Amino acid sequence: MKALVTGGAGFIGTHLVRNLLERGLEVVVVDNFTLGKQENVDCFKDNENYKFYNINIEETEKFCEQLKNENIDIVYHLAANSDIQKGGKNPSVDYNDTFMTTYTVLEYMRRENIKNLFFSSTSAIYGDKKELLTEVTGDLHPISYYGGAKYASEGFISSYSFMNDFNTVIFRFPNVIGPNLTHGVIFDFVKKLQKNPNELEILGDGTQTKPYLYVLDLVDAIVKFTLDIEMKKGVEIYNAGVETATSVTTIADIVCEELGYENVEYKYTGGNVGWKGDVPKFQYDLTKIHNAGWQAHHTSDESVRETAKYIKEHY
């Protein structure tokens, strides 16, 4: 079996590629190193089942031409701008890196008659909703360019899947953290404390509370629902996450503890969001994915702690 992983040199993609290679699949990785890193995939270069393309995925015709003879069986589309703050400053970032990459992948699959797709979506498509979020929650109004681009991507995936008889699995992720993390609140806190161990700026009022999912738990779920469980025609959507959640202030406490910093003064910027487009609180209903046989091994707080330990040791 041969898999294509877009964004395969990135945070989540690196772990997925490793898992797929360990299972004996041939893996083709596409990345342009916007967020991914060369060193993340250097460890795979001597594996005869691994192949890499440095391509801008949003360039549809070039992408389709370069990969037309790869004979792919399944596409894992992870490539996107996952830095919501970065995209918030320039809408074209999410249009190109999040939406157009999806269009290119779908068009490539249509032309090459590839039937199996995994898509990494996001909690951001729900917008700022107060209720428990289920896969059938309606009246969605994303409030970030990233959320809007992912929502539009889901719409195109739905239509392409129907028109071309795709077997599609979509996961809507919460905040995913763990080894190789490149940005986000934990990463920012560690870097700030390394510069000034006496004071820590915290965006918002610190009450923002979200579920944090450990990346290895997520990859376990991705592989389970695309390889261990038979994919079916049409689109199957799952909220993938943890039942617990962690506040920003608790994250600061854990990071300070893991880095060994005491008596750090927290400086809050105020307001209940860290930046425009940020969703301060949400929680998933995970009944569907739990009933299908998967649960995360790490709680939200455990995920934060393991990530803080990793960043401390490697950055």
Side-chain angles (χ1 to χ4, degrees):
M1 193 170 184
K2 194 171 188 179
L4 169 64
V5 181
T6 67
F11 166 48
I12 299 172
T14 303
H15 296 287
L16 176 61
V17 169
R18 179 176 292 106
N19 189 301
L20 296 176
L21 288 171
E22 289 175 351
R23 285 173 168 254
L25 275 71
E26 294 181 69
V27 181
V28 176
V29 169
V30 174
D31 206 298
N32 66 357
F33 301 123
T34 298
L35 287 174
K37 297 180 179 179
Q38 179 70 59
E39 54 264 34
N40 287 347
V41 291
D42 280 344
C43 58
F44 307 132
K45 62 184 179 181
D46 294 329
N47 191 314
E48 62 182 10
N49 287 330
Y50 170 78
K51 189 173 184 179
F52 181 84
Y53 287 90
N54 187 336
I55 303 175
N56 292 322
I57 303 173
E58 66 271 20
E59 297 177 4
T60 306
E61 295 305 320
K62 290 183 180 179
F63 180 94
C64 292
E65 178 64 26
Q66 289 190 258
L67 275 75
K68 68 179 182 180
N69 295 317
E70 285 294 347
N71 299 313
I72 299 297
D73 297 300
I74 182 169
V75 176
Y76 294 90
H77 179 38
L78 306 181
N81 166 51
S82 57
D83 189 341
I84 299 178
Q85 289 189 68
K86 175 185 174 183
K89 298 173 183 176
N90 182 0
S92 67
V93 171
D94 278 303
Y95 174 75
N96 288 313
D97 296 352
T98 304
F99 175 72
M100 280 303 298
T101 57
T102 301
Y103 169 75
T104 295
V105 164
L106 293 171
E107 188 59 14
Y108 170 66
M109 291 180 63
R110 182 185 71 83
R111 297 182 191 185
E112 299 300 316
N113 197 32
I114 302 166
K115 298 300 184 183
N116 300 306
L117 171 66
F118 172 85
F119 178 64
S120 57
S121 192
T122 171
S123 60
I125 71 161
Y126 292 105
D128 190 5
K129 287 187 171 294
K130 309 306 180 188
E131 68 262 33
L132 195 64
L133 302 176
T134 75
E135 291 82 356
V136 296
T137 296
D139 193 29
L140 304 184
H141 299 283
I143 63 172
S144 64
Y145 300 130
Y146 171 73
K150 284 289 190 179
Y151 192 25
S153 294
E154 284 199 18
F156 262 62
I157 288 169
S158 177
S159 57
Y160 264 81
S161 295
F162 179 81
M163 295 296 294
N164 300 281
D165 297 322
F166 291 171
N167 312 310
T168 300
V169 172
I170 295 175
F171 276 9
R172 292 173 177 166
F173 304 165
N175 296 63
V176 182
I177 56 178
N180 294 343
L181 187 69
T182 58
H183 59 274
V185 61
I186 304 171
F187 192 86
D188 290 344
F189 282 174
V190 172
K191 304 304 284 186
K192 288 178 179 179
L193 286 166
Q194 288 173 339
K195 290 182 179 179
N196 183 356
N198 299 311
E199 181 180 296
L200 178 62
E201 179 190 58
I202 297 177
L203 302 181
D205 60 11
T207 64
Q208 307 97 298
T209 303
K210 304 173 187 179
Y212 288 82
L213 175 61
Y214 199 59
V215 65
L216 298 182
D217 290 343
L218 172 60
V219 168
D220 174 68
I222 292 172
V223 171
K224 179 181 181 67
F225 283 84
T226 56
L227 298 181
D228 297 338
I229 297 175
E230 183 180 359
M231 299 176 69
K232 298 178 181 179
K233 187 180 296 185
V235 178
E236 197 71 64
I237 299 174
Y238 295 93
N239 287 339
V242 292
E243 293 179 310
T244 53
T246 309
S247 73
V248 172
T249 295
T250 299
I251 293 173
D253 292 340
I254 292 173
V255 170
C256 288
E257 181 180 336
E258 289 301 326
L259 268 63
Y261 296 135
E262 298 180 356
N263 302 316
V264 177
E265 182 180 2
Y266 294 166
K267 295 283 190 178
Y268 297 95
T269 62
N272 70 336
V273 296
W275 59 88
K276 193 173 181 65
D278 183 28
V279 176
K281 295 182 181 181
F282 74 90
Q283 192 66 46
Y284 277 158
D285 181 335
L286 297 170
T287 301
K288 183 176 180 179
I289 200 166
H290 286 174
N291 286 345
W294 177 85
Q295 291 193 37
H297 295 295
H298 297 78
T299 67
S300 183
D301 283 4
E302 288 170 348
S303 300
V304 170
R305 189 171 297 279
E306 290 301 312
T307 303
K309 290 178 181 177
Y310 178 88
I311 295 174
K312 173 188 175 183
E313 294 171 359
H314 291 85
Y315 292 94

